[in-house]
Amino acid sequence: QVQLVESGGGLVQAGGSLRISCAASGTFSKYHMGWFRQAPGKEREFVAAVTWSGGTTYYVDSVKGRFTVSRDKRENTVYLQMNSLKPEDTAVYYCATTRAYSSRWHGDYGYWGQGTQVTVSS
C-alpha cells in the first residue's frame, strides 16, 4: 500500500517559481514517480517523471528547461521545481507511482495523491 501527499502549491506571478513536494508512505522503493496536471475543462496532462533510482528524468516539451523533477530516497519524497512559470501552467498538480519505465500514460500509474493547486497570475 502506498499513500502520496502533495504540498507546496499556491499563487505566484508569471515568471516566478514554486517547488511542490510529494511525500510517500508505505512501499515506495522501485516505483517510478510521475507528475501530472489538470486544468478545469482540460484533459489530464503528463508533466514530468523520475525513475526510482533518480538517475533518469523526462518531461513534456512545454516545461523542458523550466521544470526539474527529483527525488530524495532517504526522505521518500519527490519534488517538482517550477521556474519561469506561465499562466498556462495553472492547474492541479498530482504525483503518482508506476512500475512502467518512461511511461507518460496515466493508465500506467497506480497510486495517486490528492493534488495541489498551482495558480499563475499574469
Side-chain angles (χ1 to χ4, degrees):
Q1 186 70 31
V2 176
Q3 187 172 18
L4 306 174
V5 179
E6 300 96 334
S7 62
L11 176 64
V12 64
Q13 288 186 288
S17 298
L18 281 175
R19 188 182 73 164
I20 56 177
S21 303
C22 175
S25 61
T27 303
F28 189 71
S29 180
K30 297 187 178 181
Y31 279 101
H32 312 302
M33 298 296 301
W35 286 97
F36 290 78
R37 65 187 181 187
Q38 188 164 23
K42 296 185 178 180
E43 297 290 331
R44 181 166 43 187
E45 177 188 29
F46 171 82
V47 178
V50 58
T51 56
W52 73 269
S53 67
T56 303
T57 59
Y58 41 99
Y59 305 86
V60 66
D61 287 346
S62 61
V63 308
K64 287 181 179 178
R66 300 189 297 120
F67 290 10
T68 303
V69 62
S70 62
R71 73 188 303 165
D72 186 322
K73 292 182 180 179
R74 180 167 295 181
E75 296 182 356
N76 283 346
T77 302
V78 181
Y79 302 95
L80 186 66
Q81 177 68 46
M82 302 180 288
N83 299 326
S84 301
L85 283 162
K86 305 174 181 179
E88 51 262 45
D89 295 318
T90 296
V92 176
Y93 284 72
Y94 301 90
C95 65
T97 68
T98 184
R99 293 188 182 275
Y101 186 80
S102 71
S103 177
R104 301 169 185 259
W105 180 49
H106 64 86
D108 279 336
Y109 289 77
Y111 293 99
W112 295 78
Q114 87 290 343
T116 186
Q117 176 72 49
V118 173
T119 303
V120 184
S121 62
S122 60

